[in-house]
């Protein structure tokens, strides 16, 4: 990594420099006073930087060197599915016929885009075992909320207004309860048993007439398959609730099983995880939602339909929850996901899950002697270690994560799920070679050894990054959220 | 069959299975109950080798009429603007696009600094104190502004002008239904919010008033007057604004806005059939700790060296869980990066020059059309869009224009029944005088 401090772009600015080129105005110029009243004319300039094109390129190149992506090195960030982002996807998404079309063009002029969307939504319906899919939600959490809103509309349409509770496991991602709140539900927690699975007795005790839905990730956030899924589905369905599938961990089961076959009524997928949409440093993502037949009337509108050979958006959907996003979703990410699916086909996607699971189990067994493993059964695409043993030696999971930076790795997810003490959640993905896995395993074993023999080196890590550990407390107490000219 | 994204060899697989103590990978899936196992192949299309896939996707793309081949006067929230070549070169630095959210600041300084710069640029344009790292898009940002307003004022009545983008209002309605908010829509008069009606509906139960500036019809709303009406009743003033227009227009922050939202699509983000774009969310200092989404802050490391971190995370869903007022997790970081590159390339001068060209060209177009006898119903000042009226369905007009290689304007009758046969025309800096004149000629012939 680039170790020199990189000035802010504003600090490189010098009056009079530009980084753009447009033709001079070619229509007769009219005095601006005649067009816009002076009270609406800006009097102070926006202080945007003034730099040349090369300065911009050098600035962002320097910043990129201070950033770690999947292309830079191994990125076993649990629950995030940091797999390889295929380059052809980037090319295809930039074809003018995809990138430079307007969402409000007449439908006849964008049939290719609509065909792509239709193919993607029917493909995702088959992969998840659902009856229909909407591509409108922009991200996973947005999909969760969309799905819950449909469940709410469904219950209300049945005159079932007392269903105000959404059940989430204690190991759930924070977006689950937050999405429930934004959809107008209260969330209640169901416990995890000693095997890391939802406690069925506890589930029975919390389910009732007020249950709107159970939200579940399967495999769950501990990387374990909820093997009692059919009993769980029966418990929830018998109480009149719906089953919601958080597709964050879909990478583990493609071609092996489908949420629709497990009894789920609503599913969201994270196309930026399983289907390589890249993560982009935090987004954009895409969070399509699939539903079973009885929830179809509640899908967000418009709904993309095929009529004869033509594709059309249907707006006349009286029971729809309405729009969740302007236009039709994050189309550009959907193009990438579809390109990926067409690269892999049915056999390829099955292999993806096979290798994602094989890689995770291999790493788990290799690391088991050196770290605590709270759940011993085979995992799926990820596994959770506990840094309890190292904590007793004064080395916390955070230190282990920081030490991994010195080896050139992005660390695993840490301190999540909340139910595991000093959690270290590793998700290798299927796109990594055995050599990479072995090197990472060796680094982890070395760190475990350092914790015993030379804890300071771990406690004081990282040693090789462009910057040391940052003062996050001051950042939050006295926030500086923008550059101010001195 | 082998796949280029899957590196495991048969030998690797064998060794790994030995290490695990299994003889087949099937054993790893035994915890999936028989009854739910998929006992057939997925019925999806077979894999395509790269050259065939390129061909197939190119053919699909070629079925669409794009705004590089056609001259577009379609805007209505999504615009065809100049994008410097440099943008794509930055975006393709894969250290940015293949990274996750910058939760490990020591190896994410590049992304964090780029977002910190983005936040600063949005503050500069909007005249606000604090901007977040981005939202999904302008429409959902607007709905989130309503959620924040309701949480802040502990009131539930959301007032929105009908001159706000219809699709944003639809999104707002869905969010409001989730939260049991009452949404009151205020009519327009001569293309801008009807202030008399607004005065009547704003009261002490009003959480916020949402105004678009310039509005959906391109008109510049009288923010000064509206600000007084809202603040008199201690509601929040939410302004949704095209950030390019703020190169010339008074920033909403200077006119008393509490929350400013919008979409940075105008800065180098392709229209892309409606997404992904890049919502922004800016507030006054008072609301800093209530902002949804991620915020990047400046701090120092152990050696006193400047660095950047995600901060004020106590606001966010992964900490607050069911107490959160927003569930946003992913944002549009890569598109915020694109917008930053464009705001940087344009800089202080460029953003003014380009905004000014939009004003000049749109006014030239309006004048030219009016001279051809086409009715331009709204008289007020506007930025780069205006409404024209025809005596026939817009679909017919646009069909005619398409025959001449022109993508016509937005058919307002689709969302405003009272504006049947009205078209919203957008003229950006990319439209030449020749193209505008051609538009006028074709329309005159109708």
């Amino acid at each position: 990594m680039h170790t020199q401090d990189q000035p802010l772009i504003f600090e490189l600015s010098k009056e009079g420099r530009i980084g753009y080129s447009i033709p001079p105005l070619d229509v007769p110029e009219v005095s601006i006073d005649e067009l816009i009243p002076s009270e609406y004319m800006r009097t102070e300039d926006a202080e945007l930087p003034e730099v040349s094109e090369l300065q911009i390129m050098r600035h962002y190149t320097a910043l990129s060197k201070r950033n770690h992506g999947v292309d830079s090195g191994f990125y076993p960030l649990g629950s995030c599915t940091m797999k390889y982002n295929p380059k052809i996807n980037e090319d295809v998404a930039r074809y003018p016929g995809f990138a430079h079309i307007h969402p409000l063009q007449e439908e006849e002029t964008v049939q290719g885009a609509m065909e792509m969307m239709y193919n993607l939504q029917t493909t995702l319906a088959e992969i998840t075992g659902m009856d229909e899919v909407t591509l409108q939600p922009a991200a996973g959490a947005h999909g969760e909320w969309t799905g819950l809103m449909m469940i709410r509309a469904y219950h209300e349409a049945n005159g079932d207004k007392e269903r105000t509770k959404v059940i989430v496991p204690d190991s759930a991602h924070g977006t689950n309860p937050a999405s429930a709140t934004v959809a107008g539900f209260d969330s209640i927690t169901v416990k995890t048993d000693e095997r890391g699975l939802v406690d069925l007795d506890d589930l029975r005790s919390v389910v009732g007439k007020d249950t709107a839905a159970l939200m579940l990730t399967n495999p769950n956030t501990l990387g374990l398959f909820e093997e009692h899924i059919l009993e769980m589905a029966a418990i929830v369905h018998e109480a009149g609730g719906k089953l919601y599938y958080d597709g964050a961990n879909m990478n583990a089961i493609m071609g092996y099983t489908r949420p629709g076959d497990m009894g789920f009524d609503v599913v969201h997928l994270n196309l930026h995880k399983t289907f390589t949409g890249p993560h982009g440093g935090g987004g954009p993502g895409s969070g399509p939602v699939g539903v079973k037949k009885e929830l179809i009337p509640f899908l967000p509108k418009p709904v993309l339909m095929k009529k004869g050979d033509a594709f059309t958006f249907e707006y006349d959907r009286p029971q729809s929850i309405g729009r969740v996003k302007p236009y039709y979703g994050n189309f550009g990410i959907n193009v990438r996901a579809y390109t990926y699916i067409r690269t892999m086909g049915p056999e390829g996607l099955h292999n993806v899950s096979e290798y994602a699971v094989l890689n995770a189990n291999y790493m788990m067994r290799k690391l088991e002697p050196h770290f605590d493993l709270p759940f011993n059964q085979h995992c799926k695409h990820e596994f959770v270690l506990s840094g309890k043993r190292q904590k007793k030696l004064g080395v916390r999971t955070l230190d282990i994560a920081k030490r991994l930076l010195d080896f050139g790795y992005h660390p695993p997810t840490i301190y999540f799920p909340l139910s595991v003490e000093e959690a270290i959640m590793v998700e290798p993905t299927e796109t990594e070679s055995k050599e990479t896995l072995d090197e990472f395993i060796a680094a982890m074993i070395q760190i475990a050894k350092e914790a015993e023999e030379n804890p300071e080196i771990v406690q004081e890590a990282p040693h090789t990054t462009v910057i040391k550990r940052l003062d996050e407390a001051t950042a939050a107490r006295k926030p500086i959220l923008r550059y101010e000219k001195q | 069959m082998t796949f280029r994204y899957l590196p495991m060899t048969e030998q690797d697989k064998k060794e790994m299975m030995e290490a695990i103590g299994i003889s087949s990978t099937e054993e790893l899936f035994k915890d999936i109950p028989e009854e739910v196992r998929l006992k057939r192949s997925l019925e999806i299309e077979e894999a395509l080798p790269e050259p065939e896939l390129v061909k197939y996707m190119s053919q699909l793309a070629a079925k669409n009429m794009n705004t590089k081949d056609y001259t577009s006067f379609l805007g209505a929230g999504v615009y065809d603007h100049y994008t410097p070549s440099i943008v794509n070169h930055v975006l393709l630095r894969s250290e940015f696009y293949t990274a996750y959210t910058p939760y490990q600041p020591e190896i994410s300084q590049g992304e964090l600094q780029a977002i910190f710069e983005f936040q600063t640029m949005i503050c500069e344009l909007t005249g606000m104190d604090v901007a977040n790292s981005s939202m999904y898009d302008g429409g959902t940002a607007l709905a989130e502004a309503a959620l924040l307003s309701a949480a802040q004022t502990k009131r539930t009545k959301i007032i929105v002008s009908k001159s706000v983008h219809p699709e944003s209002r639809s999104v707002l309605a869905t969010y409001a239904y989730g939260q049991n908010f009452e949404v009151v829509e205020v009519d327009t008069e001569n293309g801008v919010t009807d202030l008399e009606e607004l005065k009547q509906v704003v009261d002490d139960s009003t959480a916020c008033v949402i105004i678009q500036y310039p509005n959906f019809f391109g008109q510049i709303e009288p923010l000064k007057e509206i600000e007084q009406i809202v603040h008199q009743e201690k509601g929040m003033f939410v302004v949704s604004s095209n950030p390019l227009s703020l190169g010339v227009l008074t920033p909403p922050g200077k006119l008393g806005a509490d929350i400013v939202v919008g979409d940075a699509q105008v800065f180098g983000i392709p229209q892309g059939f409606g997404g992904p774009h890049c919502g922004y969310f800016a507030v006054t200092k008072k609301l800093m700790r209530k902002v949804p989404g991620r915020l990047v802050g400046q701090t120092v490391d152990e050696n006193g060296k400047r660095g950047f971190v995600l901060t004020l995370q106590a606001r966010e869903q992964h900490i607050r869980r069911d107490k959160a007022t927003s569930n946003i997790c992913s944002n549009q970081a890569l598109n915020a990066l694109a917008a930053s590159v464009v705001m940087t390339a344009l800089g202080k001068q460029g953003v003014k020059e380009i905004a000014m060209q939009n004003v000049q060209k749109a006014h030239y177009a309006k004048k030219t059309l009016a001279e051809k006898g086409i009715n331009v119903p709204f008289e007020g000042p506007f930025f780069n869009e205006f409404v024209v009226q025809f005596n026939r369905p817009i679909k017919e007009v646009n069909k005619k224009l398409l025959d001449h290689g022109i993508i016509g304007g937005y058919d307002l009758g689709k969302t405003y029944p009272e504006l049947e046969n009205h078209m919203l025309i957008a003229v950006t800096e990319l439209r030449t005088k020749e193209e505008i004149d051609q538009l006028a000629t074709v329309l005159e012939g109708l």
Side-chain angles (χ1 to χ4, degrees):
Chain A
M1 281 212 181
H2 198 61
T3 54
Q4 258 180 342
D5 191 28
Q6 177 61 25
L8 288 164
I9 192 77
F10 306 97
E11 294 162 346
L12 299 170
S13 178
K14 202 176 236 184
E15 181 110 27
R17 285 196 186 128
I18 60 161
Y20 69 102
S21 155
I22 58 163
L25 188 66
D26 62 350
V27 301
E29 189 166 355
V30 178
S31 163
I32 192 73
D33 308 334
E34 291 174 34
L35 305 179
I36 297 174
S38 59
E39 60 182 304
Y40 287 105
M41 288 299 295
R42 186 167 192 134
T43 51
E44 278 170 53
D45 288 339
E47 290 294 332
L48 298 181
E50 300 184 81
V51 281
S52 73
E53 187 165 314
L54 174 59
Q55 285 182 303
I56 303 172
M57 210 57 220
R58 285 224 176 109
H59 177 68
Y60 285 104
T61 302
L63 292 187
S64 74
K65 287 178 175 171
R66 297 161 72 82
N67 222 48
H68 181 98
V70 173
D71 285 0
S72 323
F74 190 37
Y75 214 127
L77 190 63
S79 180
C80 300
T81 315
M82 301 303 289
K83 60 169 76 176
Y84 172 63
N85 299 127
K87 303 309 152 194
I88 182 181
N89 296 1
E90 296 303 312
D91 290 351
V92 170
R94 285 168 170 81
Y95 291 165
F98 290 138
H100 303 294
I101 51 175
H102 193 290
L104 300 172
Q105 278 177 231
E106 299 288 346
E107 289 179 359
E108 304 84 78
T109 69
V110 285
Q111 285 292 303
M114 294 169 79
E115 183 176 341
M116 190 292 297
M117 289 174 66
Y118 186 82
N119 292 351
L120 177 60
Q121 69 188 34
T122 49
T123 303
L124 295 177
E126 164 66 8
I127 292 171
T128 55
M130 305 308 278
D131 293 315
E132 211 159 302
V133 167
T134 173
L135 301 176
Q136 211 177 97
H142 201 219
E144 291 174 16
W145 168 74
T146 302
L148 291 174
M149 290 292 289
M150 281 191 262
I151 290 173
R152 177 168 160 180
Y154 167 83
H155 288 312
E156 286 182 2
N158 292 338
D160 222 351
K161 303 217 166 164
E162 305 306 312
R163 296 191 178 274
T164 57
K165 303 246 172 7
V166 168
I167 303 168
V168 292
D170 54 11
S171 60
H173 192 273
T175 52
N176 287 179
S179 298
T181 299
V182 178
F185 293 111
D186 298 321
S187 43
I188 43 174
T189 303
V190 59
K191 278 191 282 213
T192 299
D193 67 14
E194 69 284 354
R195 296 187 62 230
L197 305 176
V198 168
D199 185 323
L200 288 187
D201 289 334
D202 195 43
L203 180 62
R204 279 188 200 97
S205 74
V206 295
V207 158
K209 279 196 298 230
D210 58 358
T211 301
L214 167 69
M215 291 182 92
L216 201 66
T217 314
N218 197 18
N220 65 26
T221 57
L222 296 163
L224 306 173
F225 194 85
E226 297 282 357
E227 54 192 39
H228 303 300
I229 182 60
L230 290 173
E231 287 97 309
M232 294 164 71
I235 293 168
V236 175
H237 284 152
E238 273 162 28
K242 291 283 166 202
L243 235 68
Y244 183 94
Y245 184 85
D246 178 333
N249 295 342
M250 192 69 200
N251 209 45
I253 58 165
M254 285 187 293
Y256 283 92
T257 181
R258 308 186 303 170
D261 300 335
M262 295 180 220
F264 286 94
D265 304 289
V266 184
V267 171
H268 91 258
L269 295 170
N270 302 70
L271 297 191
H272 45 294
K273 294 183 178 176
T274 315
F275 299 96
T276 70
H279 284 79
S286 177
V289 171
V291 293
K292 285 283 180 65
K293 208 161 260 133
E294 50 187 10
L295 282 138
I296 289 176
F298 308 99
L299 283 168
K301 61 184 178 182
V303 173
L304 175 59
M305 317 276 274
K306 188 175 183 182
K307 294 208 168 133
D309 286 334
F311 300 92
T312 182
F313 286 116
E314 193 176 81
Y315 286 84
D316 185 19
R317 311 277 298 190
Q319 286 189 292
S320 164
I321 58 166
R323 270 189 182 283
V324 299
K325 187 186 183 318
Y327 318 115
Y328 326 111
N330 279 344
F331 176 78
I333 304 302
N334 297 339
V335 170
R336 288 168 171 90
Y338 185 61
T339 305
Y340 172 70
I341 291 172
R342 295 305 314 268
T343 301
M344 302 309 287
E347 189 193 344
L349 292 182
H350 184 275
N351 291 359
V352 162
S353 290
E354 179 186 3
Y355 284 109
V357 170
L358 177 66
N359 288 1
N361 278 281
Y362 174 69
M363 292 181 79
M364 181 172 82
R365 294 308 169 200
K366 287 283 196 178
L367 291 172
E368 191 180 354
H370 309 277
F371 295 85
D372 280 4
L373 180 66
F375 308 106
N376 190 47
Q377 64 263 51
H378 292 316
C379 64
K380 286 283 139 325
H381 64 305
E382 66 190 3
F383 60 96
V384 179
L385 299 171
S386 166
K388 259 186 349 201
R389 201 183 308 172
Q390 286 72 27
K391 192 183 179 188
K392 285 192 195 119
L393 303 167
V395 170
R396 293 178 309 145
T397 282
L398 181 70
D399 302 324
I400 295 171
K402 297 302 181 195
R403 182 67 179 135
L404 279 168
L405 301 176
D406 290 332
F407 292 83
Y409 298 118
H410 193 289
T413 295
I414 53 174
Y415 299 106
F416 182 80
L418 309 173
S419 51
V420 173
E421 188 185 346
E422 297 291 311
I424 304 172
M425 185 193 214
V426 184
E427 180 181 9
T429 84
E430 74 285 358
T431 59
E432 298 297 336
S433 68
K434 180 168 177 293
E435 295 89 310
T436 301
L437 305 185
D438 286 334
E439 286 160 15
F440 181 81
I441 291 163
M444 285 290 283
I445 293 173
Q446 183 182 329
I447 294 170
K449 211 167 149 197
E450 286 171 352
E452 288 171 10
E453 295 168 2
N454 184 13
E456 294 80 20
I457 198 170
V458 189
Q459 289 156 343
E460 288 162 16
H463 304 277
T464 59
T465 49
V466 296
I467 204 150
K468 300 277 285 175
R469 290 191 203 188
L470 288 150
D471 183 351
E472 301 193 16
T474 305
R477 211 169 51 242
K478 294 181 190 158
I480 303 172
L481 303 174
R482 55 157 297 176
Y483 166 77
E484 303 266 9
K485 211 169 177 172
Q486 295 305 311
Chain B
M1 186 171 170
T2 49
F3 294 89
R4 66 190 185 281
Y5 307 152
L6 303 178
M8 289 304 166
T9 63
E10 281 306 313
Q11 183 60 29
D12 290 336
K13 186 172 169 180
K14 204 170 139 261
E15 289 172 20
M16 292 166 75
M17 289 198 299
E18 268 171 33
I20 300 169
I22 52 172
S23 54
S24 150
T25 54
E26 273 302 304
E27 293 177 43
L28 300 175
F29 294 89
K30 268 194 181 148
D31 46 6
I32 303 180
E34 259 318 286
E35 302 94 302
V36 305
R37 284 294 295 266
L38 186 68
K39 296 186 184 76
R40 58 167 175 83
S41 280
L42 285 170
E43 286 169 4
I44 62 174
E45 303 254 33
E46 288 301 326
L48 287 176
E50 190 163 6
E52 286 175 33
L53 183 55
V54 165
K55 199 170 182 181
Y56 171 67
M57 294 305 286
S58 304
Q59 284 165 350
L60 266 186
K63 288 185 189 174
N64 306 315
M65 295 183 186
N66 72 73
T67 59
K68 295 287 165 201
D69 294 341
Y70 288 76
T71 303
S72 173
F73 288 94
L74 184 54
V78 180
Y79 303 91
D80 182 24
H81 284 295
Y82 160 64
T83 301
S85 297
I86 194 172
V87 177
N88 205 29
H89 291 269
V90 173
L91 291 185
L92 285 175
R93 293 290 309 185
S94 65
E95 298 88 342
F96 288 126
Y97 81 84
T98 71
Y100 191 69
T101 304
Y103 284 128
Q104 292 291 336
E106 295 88 345
I107 53 166
S108 312
Q109 282 301 300
E111 177 71 39
L112 287 161
Q113 182 172 335
I115 294 174
F116 183 80
E117 293 171 357
F118 172 80
Q119 291 174 180
T120 306
M121 294 182 211
I122 294 295
C123 287
E124 280 294 330
L125 281 169
T126 57
M128 302 301 283
D129 303 320
V130 176
N132 78 0
S133 63
S134 69
M135 307 290 283
Y136 303 138
D137 52 51
T140 54
L142 181 145
E144 291 267 5
L147 298 189
L148 192 165
S149 300
Q152 177 71 9
T153 58
K154 303 195 167 51
R155 299 171 176 180
T156 55
K157 181 161 140 187
I158 312 292
I159 297 174
V160 59
S161 169
K162 278 191 188 167
S163 64
V164 168
H165 196 305
E167 299 209 1
S168 297
R169 280 186 283 130
S170 312
V171 173
L172 172 67
T174 312
Y175 275 82
Y177 165 57
Q179 295 283 302
N180 302 318
F181 294 158
E182 177 196 6
V183 177
V184 178
E185 297 202 331
V186 175
D187 249 313
T188 58
E189 177 74 34
N190 196 24
V192 291
T193 308
D194 182 338
L195 296 190
E196 288 313 310
E197 191 181 322
L198 182 69
K199 276 179 203 156
Q200 279 164 25
V201 295
V202 173
D203 57 25
D204 61 7
S205 68
T206 301
C208 63
V209 171
I210 305 174
I211 300 292
Q212 189 175 321
Y213 168 81
N215 73 21
F216 187 65
F217 307 119
Q219 300 277 309
I220 298 169
E221 292 274 355
L223 294 194
K224 253 186 196 165
E225 283 91 330
I226 297 171
E227 186 266 336
Q228 283 178 6
I229 299 170
V230 190
H231 282 160
Q232 219 151 48
E233 297 288 355
K234 300 195 165 50
M236 308 281 285
F237 187 24
V238 178
V239 179
S240 168
S241 194
N242 171 345
L244 176 65
S245 75
L246 302 180
V248 286
L249 299 183
T250 307
K254 290 266 181 286
L255 295 165
D258 299 293
I259 305 174
V260 183
V261 294
D263 207 305
Q265 182 269 328
V266 291
F267 293 128
I269 296 165
Q271 299 164 82
F273 207 42
H277 294 160
C278 180
Y280 73 83
F281 199 104
V283 297
T284 56
K285 199 154 219 156
K286 198 175 145 198
L287 297 172
M288 175 173 72
R289 288 171 194 273
K290 303 284 172 65
V291 179
R294 297 171 186 148
L295 284 169
V296 174
Q298 181 183 313
T299 185
V300 289
D301 76 355
E302 293 163 5
N303 300 326
K305 201 167 165 187
R306 176 171 68 184
F308 303 91
V309 286
L310 290 174
T311 192
L312 301 180
Q313 294 191 53
R315 301 164 294 114
E316 289 188 65
Q317 44 72 28
H318 64 281
I319 309 287
R320 284 183 71 82
R321 299 178 76 90
D322 60 322
K323 303 286 184 306
T325 47
S326 166
N327 70 333
I328 191 167
C329 180
S330 289
N331 58 13
Q332 306 287 110
L334 193 68
N335 287 3
L337 177 68
S340 296
V341 176
V342 175
M343 288 187 275
T344 300
L346 300 185
K348 189 171 166 174
Q349 287 186 26
V351 75
K352 266 194 296 191
E353 184 185 348
I354 290 185
M356 200 60 92
Q357 282 217 10
N358 276 261
V359 173
Q360 291 286 349
K361 291 193 173 195
H363 283 78
Y364 171 76
K366 177 197 156 184
K367 184 169 153 274
T368 310
L369 294 185
E371 282 167 5
K372 303 278 186 192
I374 295 162
N375 185 34
V376 185
F378 304 142
E379 288 303 314
F382 64 98
F383 175 57
N384 67 355
E385 281 181 282
F386 59 94
V387 176
V388 292
Q389 183 183 13
F390 295 95
N391 55 8
R392 65 178 73 206
I394 300 305
K395 207 173 164 65
E396 270 178 41
V397 177
N398 276 339
K399 205 164 183 309
K400 190 86 194 155
L401 286 170
L402 203 58
D403 292 342
H404 292 81
I406 296 172
I407 294 172
Y410 174 69
D411 180 355
L412 283 164
K414 281 184 183 173
T415 39
Y416 295 89
E418 69 277 18
L419 293 178
E420 209 188 343
N421 298 347
H422 285 64
M423 182 196 276
L424 178 65
I425 292 181
V427 187
T428 72
E429 75 285 353
L430 291 183
R431 297 290 73 82
T432 61
K433 177 170 181 295
E434 198 183 334
E435 290 168 344
I436 298 167
D437 291 343
Q438 197 209 358
L439 172 76
T441 307
V442 178
L443 290 180
E444 186 187 22
L446 286 178

